[in-house]
Every structure is written in structure tokens, then in C-alpha cells.
Amino acid sequence: MSVFDILKVRVAEGYQAIRDPRKQPLDPKFRGIPLLDGAACGKCDTPGECAAVCPASAITFEPLSIDLGRCVLCGDCAAACSHGGIRFSSEHRMSTSRREGLIVKSGERIEDWPERLEPAGREILKVLGRSLKLRSVSAGGCNGCELELNASHNVNFDLNRYGVEVVASPRHADALFLTGPVSRNMAPAVRDVWEMMPEPKLLIVAGACAISGGVFADSPDLDRTFLQEHVPDLYIPGCPAHPLTIVNGILGLLGRKKAGLFSL
Amino acid sequence: MNSGWSRTRNLRPVSIHDIPRFPLSRFREDIISLCSVSDRDRARPVTLFGVRRWEGIELVCVLARDSRAELLVASCMVQPGSEYPTMVREVPALHIFERELYEEFGIVPRHHPWLKPVRARGGGWFVDGQGITRKAGDPQAGACSPKRRSAVERYPFFPVQGDSVHQVGVGPVHAGIIEPGHFRFHCRGEEILHLEIALGYQHRGVEDLLVRKADQAVRVSESIAGDSVIAHATATANAMEVLGNCVPSLRALTIRSIALEMERAAIHIGDLGALAGDVAFLPGMSFYGATRTLVINGLLSFSGSRFGRGLIRPGGVAHDINDEQRSRLDVALSRTCKDTERLSEAMFASPSVLSRFERTGIVSLEEAQSMGFSGPTARASGVPCDVRFDHPFGLYRLMPVHPVVLDGGDVFSRAWIRYAEAITSLEYVRERLAALPEGSLVRRLAPAAPSRLVVSMVEGWRGEIVHAVVTDEDGRVCRHRVQDPSLANWYALALAVRGNGISDFPICNKSFNLSYCGNDL
């Protein structure tokens, strides 16, 4: 195996990065932002079936709404709805700045979603806006969101090109990237990491588990007091969060949703 | 050998009333003798767990005779606080089950050599006056009161002493993007004398949740380990279907094994990339990752999720593969095969890679057999075990898969097996796609049969996944035991790194890539 053989491999692989993750559509089968039509509920023959099959109790009625902070995007509710009241679009840009922003109500349109993601404050962006270092902590995460955060940095999604990297020490970190429902045995470590991070710092929660507890929400083996005391700056929903949802969420937090001065 | 144990198979339910209930001494002696015979009838432990009954704790032991595709089951009623002489000396693979029973029910294995927390559920572990680890409430603990700190913090590490011996502690939070666990290295210079792995940080109460949300057990199973979504969901769905007297259509079974093999190929390819990264073989690090993307995006193209969440449902599958998806998938997987072969030919021919992989992190055949390791971990050490072959389920009953076995036991063998299995799996998927049988997607389940035990084994990419489901007299699930291969295999990592340089730990670790939450549940 000479260096030329390795170069041949390199050439054969070519350039595989997604050119602009902000404009990249996903396969139509992907389950992203749900589209709800409460009018279907009036004709329903099996009332409550959609909510009964939901493993994360994400569905409420009057008006029909889905909490993406709980939703695991399994699609079972759409299959249970006999009148097409619940459909999933393939729109993956669903990160928001506020918890309430994750609640999808009947009749809401995808076009209104970008408003739900606002950049962090000007003072913070002055310090962190061009280079954001993440500290990843999995607290009971099943390795789904962890794999997807890893994938966000692979050659396809390449989050590094925007100056966003994962660092090995909380001392070097600007944002805590928290995944998992926060198990009781991990709660002290999450606090330690947060306290060791220098100011200013941001809190990012990714995946239904971190946002609400997900399917584990009512387990007695969780301790979510950290998240009751600290309000996240960015919510990245999904189960797990798709790399494009992660990339677009973080770019939105940094105020780089559109191509501009600091963007590639 | 007529043992008096109830005989069954993978996914063949047994009535609770047909399981022989032995006194503790006979139960113990039978397990030891069945696992110690030296002919092909030799059994190996599959699982040993407790079920809470009103009259006490019922211990259920399942042994396997792989050469006959046979499972043996027996039980024993004990009270919390009962004691028995440990079976670990005769059957070392039982060490982890005895620790679990002690932690969960306070059943004491006397003279257990390694009685430490498995997942620190509920806390309350401490070290007593004689330096022995005890669980709060242990009758042998005497007047010693547990210190009020978390169980994980109080973990009793094995002390290594002597000149120039030092400890390196890593975790629970690691440097990369990975689940939490604590590793304590005892080193002399660079050489690792002993590695102790303390887990439990990820404990979320999965088994209890599976009982409380039994109707949604398959959906919950998808979150047991996010890299083995299909494998755990299939294990649960198979168990539910057997109890509900339902056989999914051939089409549904085919789609399930397509997804299971894609999951295996995707993770193996991704892990080869991680191994390449650790030895600075940069083309591998970059492009194995991109190649894995082809497989998981293929999974997304018909299931709607990159990890196949929402695909497996009781009675079949929730998503079909239409002709257009099928041809696109075939093109993507054919490219995946080519890319993986090209990258692997380059990587496994590179002297800088081989010098790191070969003779690093060796697990011997004897260790793998006696400790009950499974999956690529065992197959790389010469154990020809594979649930798809030994205890076939679903489509593997009709379309068998032959295990890939090497005997080096080192990082190279595990990496090569992962490469070989990824290619075999991709070819298996392409063959199945070429002849997808007709059939309905989902069939209805009848109400679950009452008073049954069903053992459901699936070969996930890490190895043998075991779910055991017990129903009560009304057909409700009263115990759902989950066993990820990581539970046994974590000890393989500890054995592999002994005598190696501490800088070889990362490649040893990634050659196994074990699950933290699969252990912690």
C-alpha cells in the first residue's frame, strides 16, 4: 500500500459534503414538522386513538396539537387518524428558541416556523457568534442523539465549516449540548459540567428525551431539576434529532440562518 | 441427559405451570452440572432473573444447548435476603446475573468474588468494616450504615498497590460525544494492569417502563439502545406476537430482516471509521462515515427514520418498501459495498494500521467461552455463536446466515469481522430486496396468552439480545427482562486491555463499541 493507492481511494470518494445544509431538502419519507387539521376530529370514528397510541403523550385536543418537545416522530398517530388530520411533512428545520414554540397547533403552516428560532442576544453573539465550542453530555441518552451529533460533524454535514466544534473539556466550551432524559445517576455530573463552563454560556437541549423526558418522562429514575432551574437557549426536537435539524438549529442560534458575511 | 428441566426453543412459549420449581440447592447444583458437562450437551447460561411474586422472588434460569437449538428452563422460589454459595467459580458467566439479583432483590451470592453494583439502581451501596461491598439492607452488613452519597460515587474500586502504580480515572463524562461511564485504569507506567468499568449512570428504569407501558413495549424498546433500535424492537415484537398467537406475513418478516441487517452493516461501517480515526488513517475516518450515511439514509427512505424508528410494530411492520424505493435502495447498497471494500482494502493493507490493530487487546477463546461473551466479540476469539444460526427467528429460519468466525481475538480480528459482516449483511439485504415476497404489512394480535414465559433472542450487531416476557393469569405482562449483549461483553473490554499500553485503550474500546444504556437500562 503506497501513498498513491491511498490517494486513489481519496480521489474515488470525491467531495461528499452537502453544499448548503440550510437549503438541503430531505427524503419525503422523513417525518418532520407535523401538519394538523383539527376539522378531521369532527368526523373521527375512533376518538382519542391518535393520543392513545402516542408513546410520549404528545397529543392534546381542542385545538388538536402535537408537542414536538415530547413527540418521538414515530408516525403512529398519523396511521391511527382515519381522516388525515395528522400528516408529517419532511421539513427538518424545526428547532426553536422557546419551549412553547415546539407546540404545533391545528392549521399552522410550515412557512411560519423560521420565526420560532431567534438568534441569541447580541452581547453573547459578539463573543461566541463566529466560533462556538460545544460540550456534549449524554445524561441517559440512548446513543441516538449522540450518533446524530457525531454525524453533524462528518464529511456530509460538516458543522465544523461554520466554526462549531465539540471540545473535550467544559473549560473550553461555550455551550452545553445536553442529550438524554437526565437520569438520577447523571444529574450531579450535568451540574458539575455546567458549573465548570466559563461565562457567557449557552444551553442546548437535543432530542425529545432532553426536552421533556420523552418516553421516559414519568420514570422515577430521572432527576430533571437542572432543567427546571436553567432555561435552554435552543431546543432541537426529534428522536433522535436529525443532523440537519442540529446544524440549522445551531446556525439559527448564531444568527446565521441566511448566507451572509460570516457564512460560507 | 434427562435433567427434569423444561425444554423449549427461542420464541416457543412455556406455561408457567410447566416450569419445574426446584429448591435453591437443587436449582444451583443443576445449573452447575448442566453447564459443566464436557460433551455437546453442555449448556451455557442465557439469562437468570427474578420475578416478584406474592410469595417471594421467583428466580428463572434459562440455559441454552446451542448444538440442539434448545433452551432449558427451571425456576426457584426464594425470599429477599436469602443466601446461596456463589456459582461463579464453576460457571463464571453467571457473575453478572448474581450481581443483578443481589442489587435488585437482595439475594446474596456468598463468596462472590466481584460483588459490585451493576447499574446502581436506587443507590445505597457501601463498603462495610471488612472492606467488603454491601448493599443497604443486606442482613450480613450488621450495624454499618450507608454513607449518604450516590451509589456511583461510592463504587468500590479494586485496589492495586505497589511501587509506581498509579490510577487514571476517566468519566463519567468523556471527551468525545459518547454516553457516560467511569473507567478506572490501574497502570504501571504506560501499561494497564487492571481496568475497572463502573456503570449505572444511564439507568432510566426501562424494564419497569416496559411493564407499565406493555401496550407500547415495542415503541419503548426502540429507545433501549439507539444504535440497536431494530434489534431490540424486533425482540419485543417477536415476544408479543408469540404471546398473541400471530405470525407476521413473509413480506413483513423480510422487511424486518432487511432493516436488521442494514442496522448491522451501518454500525459496523461507522465503527470501522472510528477505529480508522483513532489510528490516524484519515481517508477511513472521513469516508467510512460517509458510507454509513448511505445505509442509514436508505433505512430512512422507507421507514422515515435514519435508525428505523417506527418501522417494527407488533404483528409486522408499519412501512412497506415499494418498487421505486427498492431499486433506489439497491443502487445505494451496491455503492456502499463497493466503497466499503475499497476503503477496507486500503485500510487493512496499511502497515501503520496493522501495526496498531494486530495483537492488541486480545481476548482468548477460553475467556470468551467461560465469560459468556457473544456477537463479534466472541466470534473474533473463535466462538462460533450467532443467534441467527443457533436459535433462528423470523426470516432466518428460512434464509439462514452463517457466522463469520476468526480466532485472533485481537483488535484486528474484531475489525475484520465487522468488515466481513457488513459486506455479508449488505449482500443478504440485496438478495432479499431482489425477491420481496407478497403479503400484508401488519396482522392482528390476539389477547396475550396467560401465565406464559417466552424467551425472545435476536442477534443484534453487538451480539445476543435476550428479552424474556412473563404474563400473569390475566395475560398481562408482569415481567419484561431485557438483556443487551453489552451486559456480558463489558467484561471483555476489561480483559482485553490488560497488559496493553493505555494509549491503545481507545482502539480496544471502539473495536467492541459497547452500549452504556444497554447495560444500565
Side-chain angles (χ1 to χ4, degrees):
Chain A
M1 175 65 42
S2 72
V3 67
F4 297 107
D5 295 315
I6 291 181
L7 279 174
K8 255 196 275 180
V9 171
R10 176 65 192 85
V11 170
E13 292 291 342
Y15 180 79
Q16 299 201 23
I18 293 168
R19 291 194 184 263
D20 190 349
R22 287 163 294 195
K23 294 182 190 144
Q24 181 73 17
L26 274 179
D27 192 292
K29 272 298 264 188
F30 178 76
R31 289 182 292 273
I33 296 176
L35 299 171
L36 308 178
D37 177 12
C41 295
K43 294 176 264 177
C44 188
D45 324 311
T46 50
E49 184 63 18
C50 52
V53 296
C54 179
S57 317
I59 300 178
T60 47
F61 300 99
E62 294 179 29
L64 176 64
S65 36
I66 292 185
D67 180 356
L68 277 183
R70 291 166 174 264
C71 177
V72 292
L73 302 173
C74 67
D76 286 348
C77 52
C81 180
S82 49
H83 288 83
I86 302 176
R87 287 187 301 127
F88 283 86
S89 73
S90 64
E91 179 54 59
H92 56 78
R93 284 165 288 195
M94 46 186 172
S95 300
T96 65
S97 310
R98 269 183 280 278
R99 181 70 182 86
E100 314 84 78
L102 289 171
I103 295 165
V104 188
K105 295 196 184 77
S106 170
E108 283 176 353
R109 300 178 313 151
I110 292 176
E111 292 81 66
D112 305 329
W113 269 76
E115 294 166 16
R116 303 185 183 200
L117 177 55
E118 293 157 12
R122 188 179 277 272
E123 285 305 303
I124 288 181
L125 288 187
K126 227 164 96 182
V127 185
L128 309 177
R130 297 168 72 172
S131 136
L132 186 76
K133 305 295 172 202
L134 307 176
R135 179 75 175 124
S136 155
V137 175
S138 165
C142 72
N143 204 19
C145 291
E146 293 76 6
L147 280 169
E148 293 297 50
L149 178 62
N150 250 318
S152 307
H153 293 83
N154 71 14
V155 293
N156 303 119
F157 301 101
D158 196 12
L159 191 49
N160 297 50
R161 69 180 118 172
Y162 301 104
V164 182
E165 285 173 345
V166 177
V167 291
S169 166
R171 297 283 193 212
H172 304 157
D174 307 316
L176 173 60
F177 193 98
L178 185 64
T179 50
V182 194
S183 53
R184 192 151 32 126
N185 288 344
M186 261 311 275
V190 172
R191 262 175 219 285
D192 286 351
V193 169
W194 181 251
E195 276 163 25
M196 275 186 261
M197 286 170 52
E199 298 279 355
K201 53 191 169 188
L202 298 167
L203 177 59
I204 300 173
V205 285
C209 283
I211 297 172
S212 68
V215 293
F216 302 108
D218 52 356
S219 167
D221 296 301
L222 305 185
D223 175 1
R224 294 179 55 80
T225 47
F226 174 80
L227 285 165
Q228 286 153 14
E229 291 157 20
H230 298 88
V231 180
D233 300 279
L234 177 65
Y235 296 86
I236 307 178
C239 184
H242 191 281
L244 284 175
T245 314
I246 297 175
V247 173
N248 283 294
I250 291 178
L251 291 182
L253 178 71
L254 298 179
R256 285 155 54 168
K257 267 196 275 191
K258 294 196 193 79
L261 186 60
F262 301 135
S263 318
L264 280 176
Chain B
M1 181 167 131
N2 187 8
S3 55
W5 284 47
S6 180
R7 288 171 170 199
T8 182
R9 284 170 182 274
N10 185 16
L11 292 173
R12 184 185 289 170
V14 224
S15 166
I16 295 289
H17 311 295
D18 293 342
I19 300 176
R21 187 179 281 183
F22 298 132
L24 186 53
S25 55
R26 157 113 199 251
F27 185 67
R28 180 183 173 276
E29 281 156 23
D30 271 14
I31 294 174
I32 293 172
S33 65
L34 285 165
C35 293
S36 310
V37 292
S38 55
D39 55 10
R40 66 190 289 271
D41 273 345
R42 184 194 185 102
R44 67 174 173 92
V46 171
T47 185
L48 171 61
F49 61 96
V51 185
R52 268 179 218 284
R53 303 285 190 192
W54 64 267
E55 67 264 47
I57 310 293
E58 185 180 16
L59 304 184
V60 179
C61 181
V62 181
L63 307 173
R65 279 184 183 147
D66 293 329
S67 57
R68 296 166 182 261
E70 185 178 71
L71 301 178
L72 302 172
V73 188
S75 76
C76 168
M77 187 62 73
V78 294
Q79 298 305 318
S82 352
E83 287 180 33
Y84 61 96
T86 179
M87 297 178 266
V88 172
R89 279 167 222 283
E90 293 86 359
V91 190
L94 291 169
H95 80 107
I96 196 79
F97 305 133
E98 293 193 348
R99 284 166 60 183
E100 277 187 301
L101 290 174
Y102 178 59
E103 181 168 275
E104 203 174 337
F105 304 110
I107 300 161
V108 187
R110 236 180 0 249
H111 307 303
H112 189 293
W114 206 249
L115 196 56
K116 302 183 180 208
V118 179
R119 49 184 72 103
R121 48 188 285 166
W125 281 82
F126 63 98
V127 182
D128 74 3
Q130 287 103 45
I132 301 169
T133 321
R134 300 275 184 209
K135 193 173 162 282
D138 182 337
Q140 292 192 341
C144 223
S145 69
K147 296 222 171 74
R148 303 227 172 274
R149 287 173 69 192
S150 89
V152 184
E153 276 176 67
R154 298 282 308 147
Y155 192 91
F157 292 100
F158 182 77
V160 177
Q161 283 160 352
D163 272 353
S164 71
V165 172
H166 64 276
Q167 294 188 17
V168 182
V170 181
V173 185
H174 299 275
I177 309 166
I178 188 166
E179 296 173 66
H182 184 90
F183 299 131
R184 185 68 62 94
F185 298 90
H186 298 265
C187 302
R188 189 176 56 211
E190 294 290 301
E191 185 197 353
I192 301 171
L193 298 175
H194 172 62
L195 162 65
E196 197 150 346
I197 302 165
L199 300 176
Y201 295 93
Q202 297 283 72
H203 181 60
R204 301 150 293 170
V206 168
E207 286 183 337
D208 294 342
L209 205 60
L210 284 167
V211 173
R212 269 190 289 139
K213 290 190 177 182
D215 292 344
Q216 295 179 326
V218 173
R219 297 175 181 89
V220 175
S221 298
E222 292 180 335
S223 294
I224 292 172
D227 46 33
S228 304
V229 171
I230 302 289
H232 275 289
T234 303
T236 301
N238 284 349
M240 297 300 162
E241 283 151 11
V242 168
L243 291 169
N245 197 18
C246 163
V247 180
S249 72
L250 204 52
R251 188 178 185 87
L253 291 178
T254 308
I255 293 176
R256 279 187 185 178
S257 62
I258 285 173
L260 183 62
E261 296 309 320
M262 284 175 75
E263 177 173 271
R264 187 183 326 276
I267 302 283
H268 282 343
I269 294 169
D271 282 352
L272 287 172
L275 279 166
D278 275 353
V279 297
F281 183 73
L282 297 181
M285 182 179 86
S286 303
F287 293 113
Y288 275 122
T291 308
R292 182 193 76 125
T293 307
L294 295 174
V295 186
I296 57 179
N297 282 356
L299 210 45
L300 184 146
S301 73
F302 67 91
S303 76
S305 155
R306 303 216 310 164
F307 298 94
R309 282 172 183 267
L311 176 67
I312 312 287
R313 288 295 173 255
V317 289
H319 300 275
D320 201 1
I321 303 180
N322 64 31
D323 288 345
E324 194 229 326
Q325 288 162 347
R326 188 163 75 172
S327 53
R328 274 198 297 156
L329 197 54
D330 191 61
V331 172
L333 296 183
S334 142
R335 190 181 148 197
T336 310
C337 273
K338 280 199 201 92
D339 285 5
T340 309
E341 277 167 1
R342 188 171 51 222
L343 282 165
S344 304
E345 270 168 32
M347 184 166 88
F348 289 117
S350 167
S352 65
V353 172
L354 293 179
S355 72
R356 294 290 308 277
F357 283 7
E358 285 179 336
R359 288 178 295 282
T360 304
I362 297 175
V363 177
S364 72
L365 171 64
E366 194 196 2
E367 287 167 343
Q369 267 175 336
S370 65
M371 298 301 291
F373 301 149
S374 69
T377 301
R379 292 195 287 273
S381 298
V383 186
C385 62
D386 190 321
V387 177
R388 293 172 296 172
F389 186 76
D390 298 329
H391 304 275
F393 54 94
L395 196 72
Y396 302 104
R397 287 178 177 152
L398 310 170
M399 312 276 177
V401 177
H402 290 271
V404 184
V405 184
L406 287 182
D407 56 8
D410 53 359
V411 171
F412 173 84
S413 303
R414 286 186 288 275
W416 183 271
I417 279 194
R418 275 140 162 285
Y419 162 49
E421 285 188 4
I423 297 294
T424 321
S425 293
L426 291 170
E427 279 165 0
Y428 188 87
V429 172
R430 293 185 65 204
E431 281 167 27
R432 301 288 80 74
L433 282 172
L436 203 54
E438 291 303 314
S440 59
L441 287 187
V442 189
R443 287 184 178 157
R444 277 192 93 78
L445 272 69
S451 304
R452 291 287 189 285
L453 161 74
V454 59
V455 179
S456 170
M457 296 154 79
V458 165
E459 183 77 15
W461 66 266
R462 276 194 189 93
E464 180 177 283
I465 286 175
V466 183
H467 285 223
V469 180
V470 181
T471 55
D472 65 12
E473 52 273 29
D474 301 320
R476 279 187 306 250
V477 174
C478 60
R479 180 78 166 92
H480 190 138
R481 156 85 172 165
V482 177
Q483 202 171 298
D484 191 86
S486 309
L487 185 70
N489 286 0
W490 271 112
Y491 207 80
L493 174 60
L495 292 174
V497 298
R498 275 188 197 167
N500 285 251
I502 194 167
S503 51
D504 278 332
F505 172 75
I507 54 168
C508 291
N509 186 27
K510 281 176 188 130
S511 69
F512 299 101
N513 190 7
L514 298 170
S515 174
Y516 300 76
C517 55
N519 180 88
D520 296 349
L521 298 177

